[in-house]
Amino acid sequence: MRFIPLLPTALALLLTTACSQAQSESDNAAATEASSGKSKSKKKGKDKNVSLESRMIDAAVPGLRRVGSLDGVSESSGLAPGPQPDTYYSFGDNGNPPTLYQVDGTGRVTNEVSINAKNRDWESLSRDPQGTYFIGDCGNNVSDRRNLRILRVNPASPQQVGTIAFTYPDQSEFPPKKKERNFDCEASLWHDGKVWLFTKDQQERASNVYTVPDLPGTYTAQRITSLAIPGQVTDAALSPDGRQLVLLGRGELFILAGNSWADILKATPRRIDLAGTGQTEGVEFKTPQTLLISTEQGGLFEYTLPQ
């Protein structure tokens, strides 16, 4: 039996009660203003409820605070540093345009870059030190895709797209049996000349780690290890000093620490509950101790890592 924490349930009930009360107060105020010839915009009522929800989430998870909204990015599914300080790139996943959205620290879209490639199921985004971005077009919910790839692109030349096509060395059925479906990858990062892939296990038992070269070509991914992650990994980020790997889950994250990359991959994951945030899909280090986290619903949060 899987233990279900009480905090998310209690928070959900508290949020429901508080938001219902806020809505009731908003409706009463609107009726009063309407009778006096005034009207109150829906946006103001929405902002009031979002603000209340944000305060409740902040109180429930120490170190977490809502900093903005990705209103211009539909179903945000990845985050990576942008070309200027305090800017970031994000995108929507399957069914959305093949567009990188440059946003500021509050989620406001400041630029859009159309990429010359189809968005089959974009799920992750990372960058190397030279400013080359790697888009993980390897979302694979039922583990039946045969066209997995990483797109290699420089936003300054979005028409020039390199393709890193790959297959998994240990997959022979498309799809495999349900209990063996661990070939969905929604998390990747660039490190030391390679793109590292972290799978999302539907059974929530382990995230398998693979690598492919960071140059265009067709490859069989190399399986490196398996991490004991009791959740579904949706994104990954490595700290600037290279000593902390963060694997984001749905409403949770896992921290693996070590003095070297090899040590990190052997570390015991530390779980952090992100109750109430929503479907967390993108994560990036903002500072050595602060994460920026995006949700598919458009929320944008900062989280200060515990010491």
Side-chain angles (χ1 to χ4, degrees):
M1 178 183 295
R2 185 180 177 190
F3 174 73
I4 300 177
L6 294 178
L7 178 57
T9 303
L11 176 61
L13 290 173
L14 190 57
L15 283 173
T16 300
T17 303
C19 288
S20 297
Q21 181 179 353
Q23 184 62 51
S24 177
E25 292 173 354
S26 178
D27 290 344
N28 291 338
T32 301
E33 290 184 3
S35 65
S36 63
K38 299 179 182 179
S39 65
K40 186 173 183 179
S41 70
K42 292 182 179 180
K43 185 178 186 304
K44 288 184 179 179
K46 177 182 177 182
D47 288 346
K48 182 176 180 179
N49 289 337
V50 168
S51 178
L52 175 59
E53 179 182 350
S54 299
R55 293 198 302 273
M56 300 301 294
I57 293 171
D58 295 350
V61 183
L64 181 72
R65 68 186 186 97
R66 183 163 183 156
V67 294
S69 298
L70 291 162
D71 293 334
V73 184
S74 177
E75 299 178 310
S76 171
S77 192
L79 279 177
Q84 291 88 33
D86 299 320
T87 67
Y88 304 87
Y89 277 127
S90 187
F91 54 73
D93 62 9
N94 181 24
N96 285 287
T99 302
L100 291 181
Y101 298 92
Q102 185 177 336
V103 301
D104 62 19
T106 66
R108 181 176 63 91
V109 175
T110 59
N111 190 29
E112 298 182 12
V113 181
S114 181
I115 305 300
N116 185 28
K118 182 178 176 62
N119 182 345
R120 293 191 176 99
D121 196 356
W122 292 9
E123 291 288 357
S124 60
L125 184 64
S126 59
R127 185 185 74 174
D128 71 11
Q130 286 70 47
T132 299
Y133 287 81
F134 299 88
I135 302 171
D137 188 357
C138 43
N140 192 17
N141 282 327
V142 295
S143 295
D144 63 346
R145 281 186 63 179
R146 296 174 182 263
N147 56 357
L148 303 172
R149 61 183 185 165
I150 307 292
L151 302 176
R152 189 179 193 272
V153 63
N154 187 322
S157 305
Q159 298 303 306
Q160 301 174 15
V161 181
T163 299
I164 303 169
F166 70 93
T167 56
Y168 293 106
D170 44 351
Q171 182 174 12
S172 57
E173 295 181 303
F174 299 83
K177 299 179 179 62
K178 285 188 177 181
K179 64 180 181 180
E180 299 173 358
R181 292 181 184 177
N182 196 359
F183 300 102
D184 181 15
C185 178
E186 297 188 9
S188 64
L189 59 81
W190 181 95
H191 175 67
D192 196 24
K194 300 176 182 178
V195 179
W196 294 73
L197 311 170
F198 302 85
T199 64
K200 172 185 170 185
D201 185 7
Q202 300 292 340
Q203 305 300 315
E204 300 188 3
R205 297 170 301 187
S207 177
N208 295 331
V209 183
Y210 300 84
T211 64
V212 292
D214 66 356
L215 297 175
T218 300
Y219 305 96
T220 298
Q222 181 182 0
R223 180 165 172 166
I224 304 300
T225 189
S226 184
L227 304 176
I229 303 293
Q232 297 186 15
V233 175
T234 59
D235 204 6
L238 184 63
S239 63
D241 63 4
R243 295 188 177 185
Q244 292 189 95
L245 169 65
V246 168
L247 297 179
L248 188 66
R250 294 191 171 189
E252 59 186 348
L253 60 84
F254 302 89
I255 305 170
L256 295 87
N259 291 323
S260 69
W261 183 243
D263 288 343
I264 286 174
L265 294 181
K266 296 176 184 177
T268 299
R270 177 181 182 181
R271 181 183 179 275
I272 303 294
D273 190 359
L274 301 177
T277 52
Q279 187 170 319
T280 45
E281 293 274 346
V283 65
E284 183 53 59
F285 276 86
K286 185 172 183 178
T287 72
Q289 284 299 125
T290 305
L291 300 175
L292 192 67
I293 298 172
S294 67
T295 73
E296 192 168 274
Q297 294 79 18
L300 192 64
F301 298 85
E302 280 187 6
Y303 177 69
T304 302
L305 292 168
Q307 297 294 328

